[in-house]
Amino acid sequence: MTLILTHSDIDALIDRAAIYRAIEQAHIDLTTGDAVNPAPAQLPLIDGGTALPMVASSHRSGASVVKMLSDMPLNGARGLPSQRSTIMLLSARTGECEAVLDGRLITAIRTAAASAVATAHLARQESSTLGLIGAGTLAVEHARAICAVRPIEKVLVWSRSAATVDRFRYRTTGLDVQIEYAESPRRVVSAADIVCTLTPSQTPIIEGAWFRPGLHLNAVGAPPRPDHREIDGPGMADCRLIVDSTATALSKSGEVLLAIAEGYLTAADVRVELGDVIVAPQTGRRSDDEMTLFNSVGIGLQDLVTARTLLDAAIAQGAGSTVLLNA
């Protein structure tokens, strides 16, 4: 039997702390060879769309995964999300399809969890001000995730829409932190200890000239397109760079690829993965003044372990619906 988990099912089952632990262990497993995550292929679709089949396998989870991510640039004009995804979790022992899950909420929460893992291992311990460039769902999830790993007292938020900031403020009332609207991205970067970029920008919205010693950044928002980036080349070059997956970053990260094309980075600069830093902390932050940057493209292994966590919870709680696919 295959378990079907809808967006509503997933929303009711989410345990963010459990997903954080699963993401952290997944990156350790990727470094130690207990999990496999190749760079995704890119399949052209009509109207400039792209399908990216994100695959991974995990010995620990006893599963493989295929997440079909559809990146549809024209969907905004249609009033539809620019990215849609569906996740299929399969048994690594029998090959049967154990579950099919809607990917929308999973993607947001596992992305924030990965940023929180990076923050826990790279940001200065005393970091107390979080800066968010963007105020949508990703910003809400990042605020929740990062407040759980650092003693955040203030959150600075910038968005082009004041209404979006108001919604962010409402959705994060339970965090018990001061939330302050920032008039510009530069204001966020100049005042925050930790900055998360969470916009689908095509051109840099953050300049390295604004960075302060000791800053930690999570570059998250740019879609997996080689011509999109939120941080400029000098900014990428000035930081200790950590990626979720070297293979994925060198094929899908506009931040990385454009900085290499402009001569600010080389491929050799894109060799330290998040799992490396967890296993060997000396590969991460080396001083309080060093600036660190986690370039997050997103990988199928993160979807796999999140789906496994949700499936286990659904079975325990009797949630979701089942279907016999081979009937």
Side-chain angles (χ1 to χ4, degrees):
M1 299 293 285
T2 299
L3 189 65
I4 309 297
L5 294 178
T6 66
H7 174 80
S8 297
D9 294 329
I10 291 165
D11 191 27
L13 291 166
I14 285 291
D15 179 342
R16 289 173 174 81
I19 291 170
Y20 174 94
R21 293 191 296 270
I23 295 291
E24 185 175 51
Q25 185 62 57
H27 280 278
I28 294 172
D29 290 345
L30 188 59
T31 286
T32 60
D34 291 323
V36 177
N37 193 107
Q42 183 168 309
L43 310 175
L45 303 175
I46 61 173
D47 296 333
T50 304
L52 294 96
M54 300 170 65
V55 301
S57 65
S58 165
H59 298 311
R60 185 182 304 276
S61 297
S64 61
V65 77
V66 178
K67 171 181 172 180
M68 184 58 78
L69 171 64
S70 297
D71 183 32
M72 316 300 289
L74 298 186
N75 266 8
R78 300 174 178 129
L80 299 171
S82 61
Q83 294 188 352
R84 288 179 157 176
S85 58
T86 303
I87 298 168
M88 183 167 64
L89 187 72
L90 305 104
S91 168
R93 293 179 176 83
T94 68
E96 66 181 312
C97 180
E98 296 189 66
V100 176
L101 307 90
D102 180 72
R104 177 172 38 143
L105 189 55
I106 288 174
T107 300
I109 290 174
R110 62 83 154 146
T111 300
S115 293
V117 171
T119 300
H121 290 276
L122 290 167
R124 292 175 300 164
Q125 290 291 333
E126 68 275 16
S127 299
S128 61
T129 301
L130 171 63
L132 303 174
I133 310 295
T137 296
L138 265 180
V140 171
E141 291 300 333
H142 274 72
R144 290 171 175 163
I146 291 172
C147 284
V149 299
R150 283 295 182 270
I152 301 300
E153 299 172 357
K154 179 190 291 187
V155 180
L156 292 170
V157 188
W158 174 85
S159 172
R160 289 188 175 93
S161 166
T164 304
V165 175
D166 288 341
R167 286 193 297 271
F168 171 87
R169 193 185 301 274
Y170 172 77
R171 295 173 68 187
T172 55
T173 51
L175 290 179
D176 192 28
V177 296
Q178 178 186 349
I179 295 172
E180 182 179 315
Y181 172 72
E183 66 274 11
S184 68
R186 184 168 188 168
R187 163 65 179 154
V188 172
V189 175
S190 67
D193 303 308
I194 300 163
V195 172
C196 303
T197 62
L198 306 161
T199 74
S201 182
Q202 183 167 4
T203 57
I205 202 166
I206 296 294
E207 297 180 17
W210 306 341
F211 294 176
R212 297 183 299 119
L215 179 67
H216 172 68
L217 297 104
N218 298 304
V220 179
R225 304 173 193 162
D227 61 342
H228 280 60
R229 61 176 170 179
E230 296 176 288
I231 299 172
D232 67 2
M236 296 292 290
D238 285 345
C239 294
R240 177 74 167 161
L241 178 61
I242 313 296
V243 297
D244 45 18
S245 158
T246 296
T248 300
L250 288 173
S251 64
K252 303 299 176 197
S253 170
E255 252 113 11
V256 166
L257 293 171
L258 290 168
I260 290 174
E262 294 166 351
Y264 292 105
L265 294 178
T266 68
D269 296 318
V270 194
R271 67 184 185 277
V272 181
E273 297 184 347
L274 179 55
D276 301 331
V277 174
I278 301 170
V279 172
Q282 67 272 17
T283 63
R285 175 177 290 277
R286 296 167 294 190
S287 72
D288 281 348
D289 286 341
E290 187 171 40
M291 299 179 293
T292 54
L293 191 157
F294 174 55
N295 182 243
S296 174
V297 183
I299 58 175
L301 183 61
Q302 296 165 347
D303 299 303
L304 187 159
V305 298
T306 303
R308 169 59 75 196
T309 302
L310 289 165
L311 176 59
D312 291 346
I315 292 171
Q317 298 178 34
S321 57
T322 57
V323 62
L324 188 60
L325 290 179
N326 61 355

